[in-house]
Amino acid sequence: MKPKQITVTEPLLPPLEEFIPYLERVWESKWITNNGAFHKELEQALCDYLGVEYISLFTNGTLPLITALQALDIRGEVITTPFSFVATSHSIWWNGLRPVFVDIDEKTGNIDPDKIEAAITERTTAIMPVHVYGTPCDTERIQQIADKHGLKVIYDAAHAFGVERNGVSILKAGDISTLSFHATKTYTTVEGGALVCHSAEMKRKIDHLKNFGFENEVSVVAPGINSKMDEVRSAFGLLNLRYIDSAIEARHKIDTLYREALRDVEGLRMLDEKIFEGVRQNYSYFPVFVDAERFGRTRDELYFALKEENILARRYFYPLISNFDTYSALPSAAKENLPVANRMAEQVICLPMHHNLSEEDVCRIIDVIKRR
């Protein structure tokens, strides 16, 4: 008998009977989109949970990135990381801007602050770092650089829902942060996302931009697009918010199981727990980096060995954004400029991590990894 399929992310769905009353309220209200009751309720609930003042909901996690660049009137070049999902750099490209890639820090997978200043030119107007795997960037160093050169900072916080450092939400860093509520994330509205800003004036501007630029029924103040979250997904988000703490705790236990079992496996490197000191994690992903010479198998050999056992891990992020045809011709995409990012992209494999994962599942995954 073929073993049960185990995937990287598999969202825990709340009981159907709990969701039906929400759907009934949407049906009875006859209001299914355009800033309805559930939409407003979810924005406030997320502000309360995340410890931020202003949130705008979006229909997915890419449009907040695109809108953030528009809201801050970014022009020219944006310094960013090649070690991310392509939505990060795509959002820059869609705005007619040029992404400039810099290398990453091997300890965290995040953009290396020591590499940023050398990439700044007279055309640079912003930095777009990513909290990779939910690991906070060095926000203080990045802000110091931004302030010195008069740059804006937009954080792609797609993985960082609920992440805090020293009791403060990581979403308070920079000028704007964006979230993804995709089905693979720790917190999900199936598809969805949000933009976090720091003033009522900026939220109004963002809300105009995500609704075609309408200020009122007869006035358009900006060339906006349609990226509003509907009432059904807002309702799903409200219900899922009730489960988020238990989901994070379940992921924490899985993280612990992996770490204890793989700690002494030669040739496998996990993110060092020291980088999470003072951090409230959400355990979005569990990346492992494979040194083929010491481990005895390449990353890809391990990936396909897991796949043969119906365990669907993910080489995340591979290929590197800068190596895709869309971006590879950029001067900043040259492999010699990005040695750490290229090495990590060739070594990384994210093991299954979701709150439906059982201890038996984890043991089966570990068994395949340790098998020689």
Side-chain angles (χ1 to χ4, degrees):
M1 180 182 295
K2 192 175 184 180
K4 180 183 77 172
Q5 186 180 88
I6 303 175
T7 57
V8 170
T9 50
E10 181 182 325
L12 174 65
L13 299 178
L16 179 60
E17 60 269 21
E18 291 189 27
F19 191 41
I20 288 174
Y22 287 87
L23 294 177
E24 288 175 341
R25 280 179 57 187
V26 173
W27 187 263
E28 290 166 2
S29 73
K30 304 295 187 291
W31 194 319
I32 60 173
T33 189
N34 286 359
N35 202 30
F38 281 141
H39 180 282
K40 293 175 181 176
E41 188 177 341
L42 181 58
E43 283 194 341
Q44 186 56 57
L46 288 172
C47 282
D48 294 341
Y49 181 84
L50 297 170
V52 298
E53 288 188 87
Y54 302 101
I55 281 183
S56 295
L57 294 176
F58 283 73
T59 193
N60 60 47
T62 304
L63 288 165
L65 286 166
I66 293 173
T67 302
L69 291 160
Q70 295 169 348
L72 294 173
D73 195 30
I74 302 303
R75 297 287 183 267
E77 297 177 348
V78 178
I79 293 173
T80 191
T81 171
F83 194 68
S84 181
F85 185 61
V86 290
T88 306
S89 53
H90 280 1
S91 69
I92 298 169
W93 205 271
W94 269 96
N95 277 288
L97 310 173
R98 173 174 288 227
V100 175
F101 300 113
V102 300
D103 212 357
I104 61 176
D105 178 354
E106 191 166 23
K107 291 181 180 178
T108 64
N110 293 331
I111 195 169
D112 186 345
D114 290 339
K115 301 292 194 294
I116 292 176
E117 283 200 274
I120 296 173
T121 72
E122 60 183 15
R123 289 177 49 78
T124 307
T125 56
I127 308 170
M128 185 180 280
V130 180
H131 301 299
V132 176
Y133 309 129
T135 305
C137 291
D138 188 341
T139 54
E140 290 187 8
R141 287 278 311 284
I142 292 170
Q143 194 60 54
Q144 288 170 359
I145 294 167
D147 290 343
K148 177 180 176 181
H149 296 276
L151 308 178
K152 300 293 185 182
V153 181
I154 299 167
Y155 281 101
D156 181 339
H159 299 171
F161 184 92
V163 173
E164 297 177 352
R165 182 191 276 131
N166 298 324
V168 178
S169 172
I170 201 69
L171 302 174
K172 289 191 171 184
D175 295 280
I176 284 177
S177 292
T178 69
L179 290 162
S180 170
F181 302 151
H182 185 266
T184 60
K185 298 300 188 288
T186 303
Y187 170 79
T188 176
T189 59
V190 182
E191 279 278 9
L195 188 154
V196 176
C197 61
H198 310 308
S199 73
E201 181 183 2
M202 180 58 73
K203 176 171 165 53
R204 280 192 298 272
K205 185 174 184 180
I206 289 159
D207 286 345
H208 291 154
L209 286 168
K210 75 174 187 180
N211 186 29
F212 302 103
F214 278 108
E215 184 176 40
N216 54 50
E217 193 174 335
V218 295
S219 178
V220 172
V221 296
I225 54 178
N226 181 14
S227 51
K228 306 180 298 294
M229 181 180 285
D230 60 75
E231 284 294 272
V232 175
R233 276 181 280 187
S234 297
F236 191 83
L238 282 166
L239 181 55
N240 256 353
L241 198 57
R242 291 163 48 183
Y243 287 84
I244 186 62
D245 288 332
S246 59
I248 291 172
E249 181 55 33
R251 287 168 176 257
H252 184 190
K253 291 176 181 176
I254 295 161
D255 182 282
T256 301
L257 287 171
Y258 277 140
R259 285 188 177 277
E260 290 178 351
L262 300 176
R263 195 180 307 277
D264 297 321
V265 176
E266 188 174 3
L268 291 187
R269 180 176 71 87
M270 299 173 284
L271 293 180
D272 193 331
E273 289 178 283
K274 291 180 181 178
I275 67 174
F276 298 109
E277 290 178 1
V279 175
R280 184 208 183 211
Q281 298 175 250
N282 66 10
Y283 307 98
S284 288
Y285 296 90
F286 195 88
V288 174
F289 301 89
V290 180
D291 180 331
E293 186 174 338
R294 295 171 55 230
F295 182 62
R297 284 187 284 181
T298 66
R299 183 276 311 276
D300 286 350
E301 286 172 338
L302 175 59
Y303 170 78
F304 287 111
L306 289 165
K307 198 170 186 178
E308 285 178 6
E309 298 290 336
N310 222 19
I311 298 168
L312 305 185
R314 189 174 181 185
R315 294 167 290 186
Y316 197 66
F317 304 97
Y318 169 84
L320 207 62
I321 293 176
S322 51
N323 294 336
F324 285 121
D325 289 346
T326 305
Y327 300 103
S328 60
L330 292 172
S332 64
K335 290 188 177 182
E336 57 268 27
N337 295 336
L338 307 167
V340 178
N342 275 280
R343 182 171 63 252
M344 290 181 72
E346 292 291 337
Q347 293 182 338
V348 70
I349 183 168
C350 285
L351 303 181
M353 168 58 81
H354 53 78
H355 31 289
N356 281 340
L357 211 59
S358 68
E359 187 169 346
E360 180 184 356
D361 292 330
V362 175
C363 289
R364 183 155 74 86
I365 294 163
I366 291 167
D367 178 65
V368 176
I369 294 170
K370 289 186 172 182
R371 198 181 298 162
R372 290 293 195 271

